[in-house]
Amino acid sequence: MNTIISRRIGTAIASMFISGLSFCFQNVVISGTLPSHNYHIIKKIPLGGEGGWDYLTLDSAARRLYITRSTRVTVLNVDTGLVVGEIPHTAGVHGVAIAPELSRGFISNGKAATATVFDLKTLQVIGEVKTGSNPDAIVYEPMSKKVFTFNGNSNSATVFDAKTTKVLGTIALGGKPEFAAADGLGQIFVNLEDKSEVVAINTSNLKVKGHWALKPCSQPTGIAIDRQHRRLFIGCGNQLMSVVDANTGSIKATLPIGKRTDAIAYDPVTRLAFSSNGEGSLTVVHEDSADKFSIVNNVVTQPGARTMALDLKTHKLYLDTAKFQATSTPVSGQVRSRPTIIPGTFVILVLAKTAAT
């Protein structure tokens, strides 16, 4: 997943989007803030410590939030707000996937080009799997009981058996993968950031079923799925969210969201989709029907709060961020820079809904 970066769209490009994309907004309703959907920050959990962060993963059943922190994974009990453990030696960590039925978790280590396997109960490391270069997103697929790491520098996915940790194959993706989502029926969908596509993968034979264009959405990052209605919610760097039919790849709607989105979440009970935006906002979208969507809120969070996890039990959202210095640090080999984190300011934001009135 990308670090916090500014993506600006020039006036000419913006006007082109507005004039040429009216068809994309025909199924979108811009609603006023609805009390039942009015999320707000109810708590801040200061964790401090050094280093950046990437994906958040929440195990709602076990009440544990997995927080990636550069060289380690911090594990937080979301009910008590206390740290219950840490998994070290995860160089360049990006994401965590969990397999509750196997009591195993899996960590993608970008700098080490490995995946760490650990015990969900004890947090002890069980083993390590070699992956492609810079594994970023990591997903466990329950039907096949396979783990997929999506390798940013290799433009590929490494697939291994969750039980034996044996590598089963490598899938060429044809572009730089970002986040991915499993449908629970044997398919995985992964965004290609540089191609502005989503790729559908058959997990049984490890074959690519299709490449689906996301235009006008570009630079896709986060993705979430409504499994019941077969809809993919995809956040893109040009301040758009695409809603895609998971069966056909057709775009059902395109909605405006905040700047610098990175994570997308979907709550099947409330039928709300969320985009956490690095500018310091949370866009909330309601799925009125399988083909109609309403923007119901834009919540102020905190600058840098671009990654997110949803608690399916309480319907709370967890975002992480820190405070930043005015100066920025150049990113090696890339024409961009990232804000300098002020040490000790890392925090977890907890958001919940306002009770209906």
Side-chain angles (χ1 to χ4, degrees), residues 76-132:
L76 182 78
N77 182 304
V78 293
D79 292 331
T80 66
L82 299 176
V83 172
V84 297
E86 196 165 81
I87 305 166
H89 311 305
T90 59
V93 58
H94 285 290
V96 177
I98 58 172
E101 69 271 30
L102 303 178
S103 192
R104 285 188 172 189
F106 311 91
I107 302 168
S108 58
N109 307 316
K111 290 184 178 180
T114 61
T116 297
V117 184
F118 68 96
D119 185 287
L120 288 180
K121 294 179 180 179
T122 66
L123 304 181
Q124 295 301 304
V125 173
I126 298 171
E128 196 169 76
V129 179
K130 185 65 178 174
T131 69

Side-chain angles (χ1 to χ4, degrees), residues 7-345:
R7 294 184 175 118
R8 296 183 175 87
I9 304 174
T11 303
I13 298 176
S15 63
M16 178 182 69
F17 280 141
I18 293 170
S19 63
L21 305 179
S22 59
F23 74 96
C24 294
F25 293 93
Q26 62 184 346
N27 294 325
V28 177
V29 178
I30 310 297
S31 302
T33 299
L34 303 180
S36 60
H37 301 321
N38 186 13
Y39 273 76
H40 64 286
I41 297 173
I42 62 168
K43 184 191 301 184
K44 293 186 178 182
I45 304 173
L47 294 180
E50 301 292 327
W53 59 91
D54 208 339
Y55 296 115
L56 288 170
T57 300
L58 203 153
D59 184 342
S60 295
R63 315 305 299 145
R64 286 181 168 184
L65 179 67
Y66 294 89
I67 307 162
T68 59
R69 294 298 308 277
S70 297
T71 60
R72 64 204 183 279
V73 175
T74 300
V75 186
L76 182 78
N77 182 304
V78 293
D79 292 331
T80 66
L82 299 176
V83 172
V84 297
E86 196 165 81
I87 305 166
H89 311 305
T90 59
V93 58
H94 285 290
V96 177
I98 58 172
E101 69 271 30
L102 303 178
S103 192
R104 285 188 172 189
F106 311 91
I107 302 168
S108 58
N109 307 316
K111 290 184 178 180
T114 61
T116 297
V117 184
F118 68 96
D119 185 287
L120 288 180
K121 294 179 180 179
T122 66
L123 304 181
Q124 295 301 304
V125 173
I126 298 171
E128 196 169 76
V129 179
K130 185 65 178 174
T131 69
S133 179
N134 188 27
D136 194 336
I138 185 166
V139 174
Y140 170 68
E141 201 287 303
M143 280 196 67
S144 63
K145 291 184 169 47
K146 295 171 183 173
V147 179
F148 292 70
T149 69
F150 294 93
N151 312 312
N153 291 345
S154 299
N155 292 349
S156 67
T158 300
V159 187
F160 63 91
D161 187 291
K163 293 180 179 178
T164 66
T165 70
K166 177 183 177 181
V167 174
L168 303 174
T170 301
I171 304 171
L173 299 173
K176 182 181 181 296
E178 268 288 334
F179 196 56
D183 69 353
L185 298 174
Q187 289 189 96
I188 284 182
F189 304 91
V190 59
N191 290 328
L192 298 186
E193 184 181 31
D194 58 343
K195 302 294 184 181
S196 297
E197 295 177 344
V198 61
V199 177
I201 299 171
N202 185 319
T203 64
S204 62
N205 60 15
L206 307 186
K207 301 293 185 182
V208 171
K209 293 184 63 177
H211 287 252
W212 299 335
L214 294 174
K215 187 178 181 181
C217 220
S218 66
Q219 297 175 309
T221 56
I223 184 172
I225 186 169
D226 170 4
R227 293 179 173 180
Q228 180 182 357
H229 301 97
R230 304 289 295 165
R231 295 293 181 261
L232 301 171
F233 296 87
I234 298 173
C236 295
N238 60 339
Q239 293 181 243
L240 295 174
M241 177 190 287
S242 275
V243 184
V244 178
D245 188 316
N247 294 322
T248 66
S250 62
I251 296 177
K252 294 299 182 180
T254 303
L255 304 98
I257 58 175
K259 297 179 181 178
R260 302 196 301 278
T261 181
D262 207 356
I264 302 291
Y266 176 77
D267 189 328
V269 174
T270 63
R271 297 189 69 174
L272 293 175
F274 307 91
S275 171
S276 54
N277 312 309
E279 67 176 3
S281 70
L282 176 80
T283 304
V284 185
V285 173
H286 186 258
E287 184 183 41
D288 305 325
S289 70
D291 296 318
K292 184 180 178 183
F293 309 88
S294 302
I295 298 173
V296 295
N297 209 352
N298 280 289
V299 182
V300 175
T301 57
Q302 185 174 320
R306 75 194 195 283
T307 50
M308 165 181 55
L310 167 68
D311 186 349
L312 293 173
K313 180 179 179 180
T314 65
H315 309 287
K316 294 177 182 177
L317 295 168
Y318 293 80
L319 289 74
D320 51 356
T321 189
K323 295 181 180 179
F324 305 91
Q325 296 176 0
T327 58
S328 60
T329 303
V331 178
S332 178
Q334 301 181 48
V335 187
R336 61 185 174 90
S337 61
R338 62 183 61 153
T340 302
I341 301 167
I342 298 176
T345 62

